Amino acid sequence: MTIPPRWGRLARRARRDTGFLITGVPLHLALVPVWAWGATTTARTGNWALALPVSLALVLSSVPVLTVAQRCRYRALLGVDIRRSAPVPQRRSPTTALRWLSSPRAWRQVGYHLLLGPLVALSELMVLVAAAVGLAGATGYGWVWTLPLGVRRDWFGWATLMPCYTVLGLILLSLLPWLAGVVARAESRSVAALLGPSRADRLRERVAYLAGSRTDLIEAVDAERRRIERDLHDGTQQRLVSLAVNLGLAMATRPDLPGEAHEVLAEAHLEAKAAIAELNDLVRGLHPAVLEDRGLDAALSGLAARVPLPVRLRVELPERAAPAVESVAYFVISEALANVTKHAGASRVEVTVRRVGTVLRVNVTDDGLGGADPSGGTGLSGLAKRVGSVDGIFRLSSPVGGPTTVTVELPCAR
Amino acid sequence: MRAVIAEDSVLLRVGLVKVLEMGGFQVVAEVGDAEALLAAVEEHQPELALVDVRMPPTFTDEGVRAAAVIRRGRPRTAVVLLSQYVEERYAADLLATNTSGVGYLLKQRVADVQDFAAAVRRVAEGGTALDPQVVAQLLLRRGDPLVALTPREREVLALMAEGRSNAGIAEALTVSESAVAKHINNIFAKLDLPVAEADHRRVLAVLRFLGASRG
């Protein structure tokens, strides 16, 4: 005869749950004698000053041990890891103990072991008792036969009662896996809630993780911009310059070419130079080498000088900011100046970069038409997003008729 | 005149050799990084070194630093820096030691081969050649006194800084030479500079003025 796999699975799960519940009982009842002793001693002697502190100390010192024991039990019997709510301290000392005592997680653990524990033990015991009763009932008919004949003969009711016991026992036994599962699940949930990290802990962890991964992402984006800048500089830009130089050489060394050919050559020469200038403008906005090398102040001169308007540039930085901050500030000013040139109809621009406390404040003001709308173009909303990526603040003031001021504040505490 | 070229892009190096040869130079060495450049300058003692700013290993300002070493160690070797972008900070470094026999030009200027060859020759003879974009950046930095200059005077100042003569400026702006001379006198008056005689001394005065403004 073969057992169907479904039954095998059920039996394995019931066995596992039963083992799990059995081991739970002593752990959940461990603190009961402690506080029971404290309570009865206080009641008997009327002197709470001795028994209460002792039982409290016993409770507090056994809570971490019980928590560890529960962790082991879950790992060994259910294969479940209860996540720690805080990293294990490097070494144990009175200070770490005090810190533990003052943390909410300590009191959640105390609450679990002291208050919830007995209730859990009770439900575990109920399941175990149900199992014992069910087993006894189901096999009761067989046990009767072990009784001496005389006793059996005197007990009239057994022949009608025993089959009922057997049926009830079998029903109870068949309900047992379900019952054990319910109790085990409820217990796991309360353990995860009280012995594992709290919601605040989990959120804090998540925030730390997200902040870290965002920093990584920003660094990756910066690295990517640098790589693209380098690739274009080493590849396409050199090729274009070389092309323009060769065209220039052709024109210089062959002045005897027929007029038309010379014209075509001159046209190509101009085109090549225009392509170089366009590509230069694009690449200069990515991540100039001078930014890395000499900092924001130096990089901004080159940027400002390319703007076809008078630019007043004031940079007051006592020391260099973090690379990510420099990069964002450079990008913001580069985009803001591009916007001014394209849309503002301004006659002059003022750029100031200043360190105020732990904040790098960037101001770009033009005397143009105003009425700039961040939701309209992609430029300004892109700026706001880039600033937000380093927890910066982006403000735009652009009344119709001008002036337009872009203010950006970037945190740069190092 | 003999020249050394330091440029890590092989493609462009070929073009530079042709342009220099066309300009009457004899290219005695072509190298790809700053270390090899310094060695080549030691070995050949050329009249000119044409140097790319970004070279291995860090691709930032190797050329600028090598130029400073050459200018200090071998003042007879003129240095022209070439770069995809010009940076006033690098120009300030270059001009800090000596303002004669130095040049700083955008790479795209090489495409105008005759102008470029002339500028390089001027530097090799002890003159100066600054890219208009460097001058624009230096003017931007200079701030206050230059506010007094008219746009035309700024143009003239920029062309002066490039190392052009009065005739060259007049040609570039399509005005008469006497008009240029008048502008230049106005500039000197506004910048409170004594009027000097020789062409390049005048430029150097302007450059010194611009350079001195940098902290």
Side-chain angles (χ1 to χ4, degrees):
Chain A
M1 190 181 121
T2 55
I3 306 168
R6 192 167 169 275
W7 286 100
R9 230 181 10 251
L10 210 62
R12 266 200 305 280
R13 195 181 304 156
R15 204 165 56 219
R16 187 197 66 185
D17 285 347
T18 315
F20 173 71
L21 294 178
I22 290 173
T23 51
V25 176
L27 284 178
H28 285 123
L29 289 179
L31 289 183
V32 174
V34 178
W35 60 255
W37 170 80
T40 50
T41 311
T42 309
R44 205 176 57 238
T45 59
N47 179 9
W48 56 267
L50 173 74
L52 221 57
V54 170
S55 54
L56 189 69
L58 274 173
V59 165
L60 287 182
S61 56
S62 45
V63 158
V65 179
L66 286 172
T67 304
V68 169
Q70 288 287 13
R71 255 193 201 110
C72 294
R73 170 171 164 250
Y74 270 78
R75 198 174 307 124
L77 297 175
L78 293 189
V80 171
D81 258 325
I82 304 169
R83 289 184 45 227
R84 309 189 72 92
S85 51
V88 191
Q90 290 297 313
R91 54 199 174 78
R92 306 197 181 281
S93 69
T95 20
T96 57
L98 272 178
R99 199 173 304 140
W100 179 78
L101 267 181
S102 61
S103 68
R105 68 174 197 278
W107 296 100
R108 294 202 339 261
Q109 289 180 10
V110 170
Y112 179 81
H113 294 297
L114 199 66
L115 304 176
L116 206 57
L119 286 178
V120 175
L122 209 63
S123 52
E124 285 166 348
L125 278 173
M126 265 162 54
V127 175
L128 296 174
V129 167
V133 168
L135 212 59
T139 55
Y141 204 70
W143 293 109
V144 174
W145 291 99
T146 61
L147 294 173
L149 190 63
V151 180
R152 261 189 288 149
R153 206 172 34 212
D154 295 344
W155 189 15
F156 293 114
W158 73 272
T160 50
L161 215 54
M162 273 304 140
C164 290
Y165 283 166
T166 309
V167 170
L168 284 176
L170 283 174
I171 290 173
L172 206 55
L173 277 186
S174 65
L175 285 179
L176 201 65
W178 174 81
L179 201 62
V182 167
V183 172
R185 266 199 303 280
E187 192 195 321
S188 306
R189 213 162 290 164
S190 60
V191 161
L194 290 173
L195 298 190
S198 69
R199 194 178 147 72
D201 287 337
R202 284 201 307 271
L203 286 178
R204 200 173 300 126
E205 238 170 62
R206 186 80 189 137
V207 167
Y209 172 77
L210 289 176
S213 68
R214 188 178 67 167
T215 308
D216 291 348
L217 187 67
I218 290 165
E219 272 163 18
V221 169
D222 268 349
E224 189 65 10
R225 293 168 86 98
R226 265 197 290 275
R227 190 187 63 74
I228 294 171
E229 196 266 350
R230 169 81 68 82
D231 284 357
L232 285 173
H233 178 268
D234 293 350
T236 316
Q237 285 179 321
Q238 305 308 314
R239 251 172 222 286
L240 274 177
V241 170
S242 180
L243 171 69
V245 169
N246 282 332
L247 287 170
L249 277 169
M251 291 205 305
T253 50
R254 294 295 304 276
D256 53 334
L257 281 176
E260 214 167 292
H262 194 269
E263 223 165 80
V264 171
L265 213 52
E267 185 74 17
H269 187 233
L270 279 180
E271 284 294 318
K273 286 198 289 183
I276 294 170
E278 263 175 41
L279 189 61
N280 278 2
D281 280 346
L282 173 79
V283 174
R284 187 64 163 66
L286 282 177
H287 188 110
V290 72
L291 177 61
E292 210 163 10
D293 182 26
R294 306 284 169 104
L296 200 51
D297 191 7
L300 289 177
S301 316
L303 197 61
R306 302 173 87 84
V307 178
L309 305 168
V311 180
R312 191 184 163 86
L313 178 65
R314 282 166 63 200
V315 183
E316 290 164 28
L317 293 175
E319 59 184 40
R320 289 188 62 174
V325 172
E326 282 190 336
S327 175
V328 172
Y330 180 83
F331 175 81
V332 164
I333 295 168
S334 162
E335 285 293 302
L337 287 177
N339 269 337
V340 170
T341 321
K342 267 187 259 168
H343 310 299
S347 65
R348 54 184 303 118
V349 195
E350 190 165 327
V351 179
T352 53
V353 181
R354 190 174 296 149
R355 178 85 177 252
V356 185
T358 59
V359 168
L360 187 85
R361 184 177 295 157
V362 175
N363 249 307
V364 181
T365 306
D366 69 69
D367 62 353
L369 305 169
D373 181 9
S375 58
T378 52
L380 286 170
S381 64
L383 271 189
K385 278 180 199 154
R386 188 84 202 271
V387 171
S389 74
V390 290
D391 289 329
I393 298 166
F394 175 87
R395 272 196 301 268
L396 173 73
S397 148
S398 185
V400 175
T404 301
T405 302
V406 172
T407 308
V408 166
E409 289 182 357
L410 304 168
C412 57
R414 301 195 80 176
Chain B
M1 281 197 274
R2 287 162 317 129
V4 167
I5 295 177
E7 161 64 61
D8 59 316
S9 159
V10 179
L11 198 65
L12 188 56
R13 216 193 286 166
V14 176
L16 289 176
V17 172
K18 282 189 214 150
V19 173
L20 283 191
E21 281 174 351
M22 208 193 77
F25 287 89
Q26 180 202 348
V27 177
V28 290
E30 305 162 38
V31 297
D33 61 68
E35 213 169 295
L37 166 68
L38 294 178
V41 168
E42 274 307 305
E43 188 191 335
H44 299 287
Q45 309 194 2
E47 280 78 36
L48 175 80
L50 187 60
V51 182
D52 184 13
V53 168
R54 273 172 86 169
M55 285 189 292
T58 68
F59 296 94
T60 51
D61 64 343
E62 279 78 6
V64 180
R65 279 185 266 142
V69 173
I70 295 171
R71 291 304 294 156
R72 269 199 306 276
R74 300 215 158 269
R76 302 273 306 272
T77 299
V79 180
V80 173
L81 286 179
L82 276 186
S83 180
Q84 203 70 39
Y85 314 99
V86 287
E87 309 288 356
E88 51 91 17
R89 213 49 68 88
Y90 295 163
D93 280 8
L94 185 68
L95 296 169
T97 40
N98 196 337
T99 53
S100 68
V102 291
Y104 186 17
L105 297 169
L106 276 174
K107 274 188 180 170
Q108 66 205 61
R109 309 289 178 215
V110 188
D112 297 311
V113 289
Q114 270 142 346
D115 287 356
F116 178 77
V120 171
R121 179 159 280 281
R122 207 163 58 225
V123 175
E125 285 162 357
T128 316
L130 287 187
D131 198 275
Q133 283 200 11
V134 185
V135 179
Q137 290 184 33
L138 288 169
L139 289 178
L140 180 89
R141 284 296 175 166
R142 187 50 211 129
D144 307 335
L146 296 180
V147 170
L149 299 187
T150 64
R152 181 40 67 97
E153 283 162 1
R154 278 166 174 268
E155 272 178 301
V156 171
L157 182 61
L159 290 166
M160 276 164 57
E162 281 175 53
R164 298 207 192 206
S165 65
N166 280 15
I169 297 173
E171 199 191 318
L173 298 178
T174 53
V175 294
S176 69
E177 261 189 69
S178 62
V180 170
K182 213 179 85 195
H183 284 311
I184 291 173
N185 282 334
N186 285 344
I187 293 169
F188 284 149
K190 285 181 183 174
L191 299 187
D192 205 18
L193 284 174
V195 183
E197 279 166 41
D199 259 4
H200 87 265
R201 276 186 62 205
R202 180 182 70 169
V203 175
L204 298 186
V206 175
L207 286 177
R208 249 181 234 123
F209 178 74
L210 294 168
S213 69
R214 283 232 48 83

